[in-house]
Amino acid sequence: MHRIQVGLIGYGTVGSGVIQFLNRRKNFIKNRFHTEFVLKTLCDRSLQNKNTTGLEKTYLTSNFQEVLDDPKIDVVIELIGGMDIAKKIVAGALKRGKHVITANKELIANNGKELFQLAKKYKAQLYFESSVGAGIPIIKTITEGIVGNKFSSLYGIINGTCNFILTEMTQHNRTFTEALQEAQKRGFAEGDPTLDINGMDSTHKLAILVYLAFGKFIKVNEIYTEGITQISHDDIEHAESLNLTIKLLAIAKRVNNDIEARVHPTLISKDHPLASINNIYNAIYLYAEPLGDLLISGQGAGQMTAASGVVSDLINFATKEPKSKLLCNLFDEATHLKVRKIDQIKTKFYIRFMATDKPGVLSKITGILGKHGISINSVTQKAHNPTLAVPVVMLTDYATEKMLRLALRQIQSLSIVKSKPVAIRMEKLW
Ligand code: HSE
């Protein structure tokens, strides 16, 4: 029997889930892999408030240094999240030749390159399957399952909280605040949900996927990010009537030596499979040559799904030949790839204006769009009211972000336009 001594740091929702998961699957793991994971040390800074029943054989501490300094510990699982202390833990463990498993997307997105280099230098392994999509094996899919392919595009619904909020607003007419509170109550929003709703959680995950798929470490601040806080019921309803739905998409494309990487609310056709990924489900839809397209989906947030990814890392670490432990060997960077600035990116747009309802209004708006080289594919105005502003919805053809912004600024200054125009990017997926 192969006994592996584990040091677990962070006894929150995911940490306690990992312990429960390992207990539930203990016999299976022993029989199938001849391996036993022994929880040697559990570290948490507020252990006094936690239930540690059943952990009598485990050494409990609130000092992570004790885990790092224990020569008997083979693998450290970091589940505290955040940046500073988590980085000390992960880097400290690697420097001592300990293998590390983490679910920390923010850390890998910001410090992946440095940590991979440390792992290589100290001949340690670094696993992070749960950092993107929790238990959905997207990292393994990209780095092993379909590894021989050339990746050309990737579209992810990779924040369960945002997807849940948009689904609740669309299907149950709930307000943004009600839906967010429900996501927090169910435990899949982050402690501070700001990173969920402002899009940054998706951005961290996208940075990791871009690296794995395209071989380029891009900085988090190179990814254009827009969250879902500005999405209104009005736009959801207009989208529905156009057979479109709004999703917070994390998008990465490779066009020759350029990479597009962005996170923003996106209108997609309701006929595309991603449109039916709802609630806390995550999905990644990608296109690779010569494979073609692939959609992988599952619960992207929650205790057991995150624990499942961590346990799969543990088993992979314990059972694979060193030469097939791919993740940390992936740092040969494709430095020739450049990130395209958002100004230069072309998409189609949904635009909604609140405009006065009288002759000549449309021609003023379309005139400005035309002057900026923006072609209009359709115009819808359902309400008619000569005394109030009414919504006018336009779908444009492909236009650069720069031109659209210039045009909208000019349109907003017209006296016939009564509020800031809304613009939502559209994607035509394969
Ligand atoms: N807060 C994250 C989400 C959890 O809502 O998707 C998983 O990273």
Side-chain angles (χ1 to χ4, degrees), residues 368 371-372 404-414:
I368 293 175
K371 258 200 301 186
H372 288 83
L404 186 96
R405 286 187 191 183
L406 287 172
L408 290 189
R409 206 172 303 150
Q410 216 172 318
I411 292 170
Q412 194 180 342
S413 67
L414 296 172

Side-chain angles (χ1 to χ4, degrees), residues 138 151-158 209 249-252 272-274 277 282-288 292-297 428-430:
I138 183 60
F151 295 90
S152 48
S153 63
L154 183 157
Y155 303 86
I157 295 174
I158 46 180
L209 295 179
L249 286 194
I251 301 171
H272 191 274
L274 273 187
I277 305 298
N282 279 197
I284 295 100
Y285 175 71
L286 54 81
Y287 195 86
D293 54 359
L294 180 131
L295 176 68
I296 181 165
S297 177
K428 183 163 172 25
L429 311 179
W430 267 284

Side-chain angles (χ1 to χ4, degrees), residues 172-429:
H172 306 294
N173 210 22
R174 290 179 98 174
T175 64
F176 182 95
T177 314
E178 283 166 358
L180 174 59
Q181 280 166 355
E182 179 71 24
Q184 286 176 294
K185 212 161 70 192
R186 296 206 202 172
F188 37 82
E190 302 294 312
D192 172 3
T194 313
L195 292 183
D196 290 309
I197 60 178
N198 73 7
M200 282 310 291
D201 178 79
S202 296
T203 298
H204 293 144
K205 293 166 179 170
L206 184 66
I208 297 173
L209 295 179
V210 165
Y211 171 63
L212 297 175
F214 301 144
K216 167 92 177 167
F217 281 106
I218 59 175
K219 293 199 175 63
V220 164
N221 62 13
E222 289 179 295
I223 300 179
Y224 174 81
T225 304
E226 205 179 286
I228 60 165
T229 49
Q230 301 302 316
I231 298 298
S232 70
H233 278 105
D234 286 347
D235 295 312
I236 289 173
E237 274 166 33
H238 288 298
E240 288 278 306
S241 66
L242 293 160
N243 197 38
L244 298 167
T245 194
I246 305 178
K247 293 288 180 192
L248 182 72
L249 286 194
I251 301 171
K253 296 183 193 179
R254 183 171 163 182
V255 187
N256 303 320
N257 285 336
D258 274 7
I259 292 178
E260 273 186 28
R262 47 198 163 97
V263 170
H264 50 69
T266 312
L267 282 159
I268 57 174
S269 164
K270 284 173 91 172
D271 299 328
H272 191 274
L274 273 187
S276 55
I277 305 298
N278 288 319
N279 297 309
I280 59 160
Y281 277 77
N282 279 197
I284 295 100
Y285 175 71
L286 54 81
Y287 195 86
E289 288 281 346
L291 166 78
D293 54 359
L294 180 131
L295 176 68
I296 181 165
S297 177
Q299 288 199 28
Q303 185 181 42
M304 279 305 156
T305 174
S308 169
V310 172
V311 171
S312 91
D313 278 344
L314 260 180
I315 295 175
N316 278 306
F317 150 72
T319 58
K320 273 193 175 172
E321 287 299 311
K323 70 172 184 232
S324 60
K325 291 176 177 171
L326 281 170
L327 289 180
C328 324
N329 295 331
L330 285 173
F331 63 87
D332 286 333
E333 210 183 336
T335 44
H336 62 288
L337 299 179
K338 300 278 172 277
V339 182
R340 195 174 277 183
K341 297 248 182 317
I342 187 71
D343 273 6
Q344 305 307 321
I345 290 176
K346 275 189 172 178
T347 58
K348 294 185 176 186
F349 288 90
Y350 157 106
I351 327 173
R352 175 169 60 83
F353 306 99
M354 294 303 291
T356 47
D357 193 11
K358 58 183 189 195
V361 165
L362 265 188
S363 73
K364 282 198 180 128
I365 293 174
T366 55
I368 293 175
L369 290 169
K371 258 200 301 186
H372 288 83
I374 300 167
S375 178
I376 297 153
N377 287 347
S378 76
V379 181
T380 317
Q381 183 201 326
K382 286 195 178 144
H384 293 281
N385 189 327
T387 53
L388 289 174
V390 293
V392 178
V393 172
M394 293 182 185
L395 301 185
T396 75
D397 204 341
Y398 284 97
T400 59
E401 184 93 17
K402 184 174 178 180
M403 282 307 170
L404 186 96
R405 286 187 191 183
L406 287 172
L408 290 189
R409 206 172 303 150
Q410 216 172 318
I411 292 170
Q412 194 180 342
S413 67
L414 296 172
S415 61
I416 49 160
V417 171
K418 300 298 176 195
S419 59
K420 190 170 180 230
V422 172
I424 305 177
R425 297 164 194 87
M426 296 170 52
E427 283 290 321
K428 183 163 172 25
L429 311 179

